[in-house]
Amino acid sequence: MDSILLEDNRHWVNQSIYGDFVAREILDKAIKFLGTKEILALVGARRVGKSTLAKLLIHELLKSVEAKNIFFINLEKPEFIPYKDDASYLGVIFDAYLKLANPNREKKIYFFIDEVQIFQNWEIFVKSKYENSNIKFIITGSNASLLTSNYATVLTGRVLRLEIYSFNFREFLQFKKLDFSTKIQRAANKIEISRAMDEYLKWGGYYSVISNSDEMLKKEYLMNVAEDIILKDIVPRYNIKSSQIIRDLFYYLVSNAATTLNYSSLAKKLSVDPKMIKEYIGYFEDNFLIHTISAYHDKLTSQIKSAKKLYLSDNGFLNLGVNRTKNLGTALENLVFNELYKKDEKVTYRKDNQEVDFYTQNRLYQVAYDISDEKTKKRELNAFGEFKKEGDRCTLITYDANETILDVEVLSIDRFLLEADEGLNIE
């Protein structure tokens, strides 16, 4: 046990071990909650950087906290898996830490638990220590329902939740060391930023993708992420008998991003029950592979029953589809969705005689890659008229146009992304 714990806690020996990790924008928000009593939950898809963010928090804590009062464990380690159905084993691990590290118990202990959902009923252990000990818990998890299970409800009001995403465009430019901090710098680096946008639009923001120049390896990595989520998380967790059907469904969905879902049609294509299709899509959502949005309606029940539109959680996954043609419009719409979703998970679309891609926070958004053709421009602008109400604003996002047409703000995708902010959800 000692060697396993030391492997995950190298900061006990070398306190600068995490100093070279790439910083994330959400780090400052996470740091603010280290001083609170509440459990900090870092949730998001596999490999978006939850563990890295946890280690960046450790690096920050080491400035004022004794190293041995900071404890990190990764529950995906093979040595822990045999005990995943026994939440009491978390107590065994913690006791082994106390014996090995001998932390200063008069001061707060910061306990990081990586991929906490691996252990059944983990909440029982966390709640017992939360109530009776001077411990600050920071947990990471790879499914959205991490805090909504029957047991996890006992933690209601005791958890601060931060959702972690793959690199946004600002972080992507920082990784590439491109300065965009002022209008002058954006103008000076205009060509390089444009090239970076093309790359980001195609490959998304997974660190292992953006840090690799080989396109074959990029695609292989993205496929491995998707397959790991499906085969290691979804299939065993939900006792799915046919992994091939759920894999086929995912790749079909990838090939039809930014379209309206039809459960009956999907069921016929895969020769399964529509109810199963709906369940599987829910599993993909719960594990941060995809998102679905409803059509806006004044009545919530009608909105819930409306046809759902599908988007992928990272543009890189678009490369896994069977479509051979490069659909830049789909890539742009998917990218815009993800940025809007970070700020408002209740984003909707509008549809009647015409359709507007997104509606959120009293703003209608239309997405069109190229509006140089007058017919295209007119079609996109006219769609706003059907849905605009008093107080609503209208934005048309394109690849490179910036102008104002009547009351519609036309924004290039780089301006839209560089001016956006990340959001914080508290549970």
Side-chain angles (χ1 to χ4, degrees), residues 359-364 387-394 407:
Y359 181 57
T360 172
Q361 299 175 335
N362 298 113
R363 187 183 286 269
L364 296 158
F387 304 106
K388 188 175 186 297
K389 301 181 297 184
E390 184 178 352
D392 285 345
R393 293 170 293 171
C394 301
D407 61 346

Side-chain angles (χ1 to χ4, degrees), residues 186-200:
R186 292 185 198 183
N189 295 322
K190 182 177 180 180
I191 294 174
E192 290 82 1
I193 290 175
S194 179
R195 287 174 182 162
M197 173 53 66
D198 291 340
E199 182 181 347
Y200 187 72

Side-chain angles (χ1 to χ4, degrees), residues 10-276:
R10 291 180 291 165
H11 59 275
W12 293 346
V13 178
N14 180 0
Q15 295 189 26
S16 62
I17 191 72
Y18 307 130
D20 294 331
F21 280 25
V22 178
R24 302 295 303 273
E25 286 185 359
I26 205 167
L27 176 62
D28 288 342
K29 293 178 180 177
I31 289 172
K32 291 178 182 178
F33 294 103
L34 287 177
T36 66
K37 171 66 175 176
E38 287 79 14
I39 299 156
L40 175 57
L42 309 176
V43 299
R46 278 181 176 265
R47 305 191 209 176
V48 293
K50 302 185 300 295
S51 301
T52 299
L53 183 64
K55 288 172 183 176
L56 285 168
L57 288 173
I58 291 175
H59 181 71
E60 182 68 23
L61 284 169
L62 287 169
K63 297 175 182 177
S64 57
V65 177
E66 295 176 43
K68 291 181 180 180
N69 274 52
I70 305 170
F71 179 41
F72 181 99
I73 56 167
N74 173 12
L75 293 185
E76 282 196 306
K77 283 188 173 296
E79 295 87 351
F80 295 149
I81 297 302
Y83 305 97
K84 63 185 180 64
D85 294 326
D86 181 10
S88 67
Y89 193 73
L90 293 172
V92 174
I93 295 171
F94 186 68
D95 289 343
Y97 152 67
L98 295 177
K99 184 177 179 181
L100 174 65
N102 191 26
N104 184 346
R105 299 197 201 185
E106 294 183 1
K107 295 185 177 180
K108 184 176 291 186
I109 290 174
Y110 293 84
F111 191 175
F112 290 77
I113 308 179
D114 199 20
E115 298 297 352
V116 72
Q117 79 284 340
I118 296 295
F119 268 58
Q120 294 291 321
N121 303 333
W122 58 270
E123 308 92 338
I124 298 173
F125 167 78
V126 171
K127 184 176 184 293
S128 67
K129 295 295 183 182
Y130 176 89
E131 298 289 354
N132 303 308
S133 307
N134 188 21
I135 300 174
K136 170 70 177 185
F137 282 99
I138 302 93
I139 61 175
T140 81
S142 296
N143 63 293
S145 61
L146 178 72
L147 303 172
T148 58
S149 70
N150 290 335
Y151 282 108
T153 55
V154 302
L155 299 177
T156 301
R158 300 176 175 88
V159 180
L160 297 170
R161 178 181 182 270
L162 276 176
E163 188 163 337
I164 315 303
Y165 305 92
S166 55
F167 276 43
N168 63 38
F169 187 55
R170 297 179 300 281
E171 292 170 325
F172 179 67
L173 293 181
Q174 289 168 348
F175 169 76
K176 286 187 166 291
K177 295 181 169 54
L178 286 174
D179 192 344
F180 60 93
S181 57
T182 66
K183 289 183 178 180
I184 292 175
Q185 290 295 345
R186 292 185 198 183
N189 295 322
K190 182 177 180 180
I191 294 174
E192 290 82 1
I193 290 175
S194 179
R195 287 174 182 162
M197 173 53 66
D198 291 340
E199 182 181 347
Y200 187 72
L201 196 60
K202 179 178 180 180
W203 291 108
Y206 273 93
Y207 178 78
S208 291
V209 174
I210 66 178
S211 60
N212 196 315
S213 59
D214 187 313
E215 293 202 349
M216 185 178 294
L217 292 178
K218 286 176 184 280
K219 186 172 181 179
E220 186 68 25
Y221 178 83
L222 288 160
M223 186 174 292
N224 286 341
V225 172
E227 295 277 345
D228 275 358
I229 292 172
I230 294 168
L231 300 178
K232 294 182 180 180
D233 293 336
I234 296 176
V235 169
R237 185 179 301 151
Y238 304 106
N239 298 314
I240 293 172
K241 295 178 181 179
S242 175
S243 61
Q244 188 59 50
I245 290 176
I246 195 168
R247 288 175 72 254
D248 289 345
L249 175 61
F250 173 72
Y251 289 115
Y252 184 86
L253 294 176
V254 167
S255 304
N256 292 274
T259 64
T260 304
L261 289 169
N262 185 314
Y263 298 120
S264 297
S265 175
L266 285 170
K268 287 180 181 179
K269 290 179 186 297
L270 297 174
S271 301
V272 296
D273 189 286
K275 183 180 178 182
M276 181 184 292

Side-chain angles (χ1 to χ4, degrees), residues 247-414:
R247 288 175 72 254
D248 289 345
L249 175 61
F250 173 72
Y251 289 115
Y252 184 86
L253 294 176
V254 167
S255 304
N256 292 274
T259 64
T260 304
L261 289 169
N262 185 314
Y263 298 120
S264 297
S265 175
L266 285 170
K268 287 180 181 179
K269 290 179 186 297
L270 297 174
S271 301
V272 296
D273 189 286
K275 183 180 178 182
M276 181 184 292
I277 295 294
K278 190 172 183 180
E279 287 177 355
Y280 285 2
I281 287 173
Y283 300 156
F284 292 147
E285 284 198 88
D286 194 44
N287 288 272
F288 304 103
L289 270 175
I290 68 169
H291 299 291
T292 62
I293 63 172
S294 304
Y296 176 83
H297 199 281
D298 291 332
K299 294 182 179 179
L300 183 59
T301 53
S302 298
Q303 183 168 303
I304 292 171
K305 293 178 182 178
S306 67
K308 304 297 186 286
K309 284 185 71 176
L310 164 78
Y311 294 95
L312 306 179
S313 61
D314 184 273
N315 265 40
F317 290 130
L318 290 167
N319 293 280
L320 305 182
V322 297
N323 293 337
R324 300 298 180 186
T325 56
K326 186 178 181 181
N327 192 332
L328 294 172
T330 296
L332 187 66
E333 185 176 335
N334 198 81
L335 188 57
V336 170
F337 163 77
N338 278 309
E339 198 66 28
L340 292 175
Y341 182 81
K342 291 171 188 176
K343 294 190 288 184
D344 179 15
E345 293 183 4
K346 296 180 180 178
V347 58
T348 59
Y349 69 97
R350 303 297 303 267
K351 187 170 185 178
D352 198 346
N353 296 318
Q354 300 190 72
E355 183 173 339
V356 169
D357 294 316
F358 306 112
Y359 181 57
T360 172
Q361 299 175 335
N362 298 113
R363 187 183 286 269
L364 296 158
Y365 288 91
Q366 195 72 313
V367 182
Y369 189 86
D370 182 6
I371 58 169
S372 58
D373 178 74
E374 284 300 319
K375 284 187 177 180
T376 301
K377 182 187 291 186
K378 185 177 180 180
R379 182 185 69 243
E380 302 295 336
L381 293 172
N382 285 346
F384 288 118
E386 183 171 349
F387 304 106
K388 188 175 186 297
K389 301 181 297 184
E390 184 178 352
D392 285 345
R393 293 170 293 171
C394 301
T395 300
L396 173 58
I397 299 172
T398 73
Y399 178 73
D400 57 3
N402 286 291
E403 58 182 310
T404 300
I405 304 174
L406 299 177
D407 61 346
V408 177
E409 181 184 26
V410 181
L411 277 181
S412 61
I413 184 62
D414 61 327

